[in-house]
Amino acid sequence: MIKVWGRKNSSNVQKVMWAIGELGLGHERVDIGGPFGGNKDAPYLAMNPNGLIPTIQDGDLTLWESNAIVRYLSAVYGVGKLQPADAKKAALCGQWMDWQLAVVAPAITPAFLGLVRTPPEKRDNAAIAASQAKTVEAMSMLEAALGRTSHVAGDAFTMADIPLGIMAYRYWQLVPQHPAHPNLKRWYGQIEARPAFKTHVSSIPMT
Ligand SMILES: N[C@@H](CCC(=O)N[C@@H](CS)C(=O)NCC(=O)O)C(=O)O
C-alpha cells in the first residue's frame, strides 16, 4: 500500500496519482497543502523538509520530489510499462522529465498564479504575458519533438508523458492564444483518452 500526501488539484500530486493509476497500485491519499494546510507542520516536515507536496511512503521508503516519485514507481512497478527496459530509452524519459521541472514549470507558474490564484484587480498582466510567451517557447520545442516521435520519449507511452501531459492540460487553459501545434494536439488527444489521466487530472478543476 502506497501512501501519498497531497491535495488532488496540485499538478505535482497529479503526476504521482496518474502514475499510480496507470500501474493499478493500491494506495491511500491524504489531503494536505493549500486549504488543507499541514505541510509546514513538524510531522510533515520530518518526512519532507521542503514543506511541499507530494510525499510518498512505500514500505520503509519516504520519498519527495514529484518526478523522482514517478521515476521510482516506474522503476519498481512499471518496467516495460512506464519505464522502458532499455537504459538509453529510460534516460531519454529522464531528460524530458527534468526539462519539465527545469524549464516548463518555471515558465508556466507565473501565469498559473496570476490567472488562477490572483483576483483580476490585483493581477500583474505584464508578468502573466511574459510567462505565457515563455511557455509558448517551451511548448514549441515539445511540438517539434512530437513531430519526430509519437510520444514524448519515443513511440510508446512512458513516464515522460506524465509530467508533460499535465503541463499541456494547463497550457491549453492558461495560454489560450497559442500557435496551432498540430503534433502537440495529436499527442494530447491520445493522452486525454487515458482513463488514469481522466480520473486524476482532467476531471479535476485547475484551482
Ligand atoms: N519540485 C517539487 C515542487 C513541489 C511543489 O511546488 N508543490 C506545490 C503544489 S504543486 C506545493 O507544495 N505548494 C504548497 C501547498 O500546496 O500548500 C515537486 O516536483 O514535487
Side-chain angles (χ1 to χ4, degrees):
M1 168 75 70
I2 295 168
K3 191 158 177 181
V4 181
W5 282 265
R7 59 189 162 82
K8 65 182 180 183
N9 62 349
S10 147
S11 61
N12 290 309
V13 173
Q14 287 176 353
K15 295 174 188 174
V16 174
M17 295 309 296
W18 181 4
I20 283 176
E22 290 286 345
L23 296 170
L25 302 176
H27 64 279
E28 178 196 351
R29 188 183 57 76
V30 179
D31 274 324
I32 195 164
F36 302 99
N39 51 314
K40 301 293 179 192
D41 295 349
Y44 188 79
L45 291 173
M47 290 193 299
N48 181 345
N50 288 306
L52 296 172
I53 52 172
T55 300
I56 69 158
Q57 272 178 352
D58 187 19
D60 61 0
L61 175 72
T62 300
L63 190 65
W64 40 265
E65 277 299 328
S66 58
N67 286 358
I69 296 170
V70 172
R71 277 193 191 94
Y72 164 76
L73 296 174
S74 303
V76 174
Y77 302 106
V79 174
K81 293 182 194 154
L82 292 183
Q83 176 175 306
D86 178 78
K88 289 183 179 171
K89 289 185 178 161
L92 285 175
C93 294
Q95 166 197 280
W96 283 106
M97 293 169 81
D98 285 356
W99 179 76
Q100 180 273 325
L101 272 182
V103 175
V104 186
I108 203 169
T109 296
F112 172 78
L113 295 175
L115 293 170
V116 179
R117 294 276 162 79
T118 310
E121 67 280 6
K122 292 197 175 151
R123 284 180 190 161
D124 179 345
N125 291 319
I128 292 169
S131 165
Q132 289 172 320
K134 272 193 183 169
T135 309
V136 167
E137 206 179 300
M139 295 311 258
S140 298
M141 231 180 99
L142 186 57
E143 161 69 15
L146 288 168
R148 297 186 287 273
T149 54
S150 72
H151 286 77
V152 169
D155 284 324
F157 178 82
T158 66
M159 59 183 173
D161 293 286
I162 290 179
L164 288 164
I166 292 170
M167 292 296 96
Y169 170 68
R170 294 192 164 202
Y171 177 57
W172 309 130
Q173 298 175 75
L174 296 170
V175 191
Q177 311 289 339
H178 51 258
H181 294 318
N183 298 313
L184 200 58
K185 289 203 170 127
R186 175 206 31 84
W187 163 77
Y188 188 73
Q190 292 174 290
I191 294 299
E192 70 178 345
R194 300 188 76 86
F197 179 82
K198 286 185 191 160
T199 303
H200 297 292
V201 185
S202 60
S203 62
I204 300 170
M206 190 189 57
T207 53

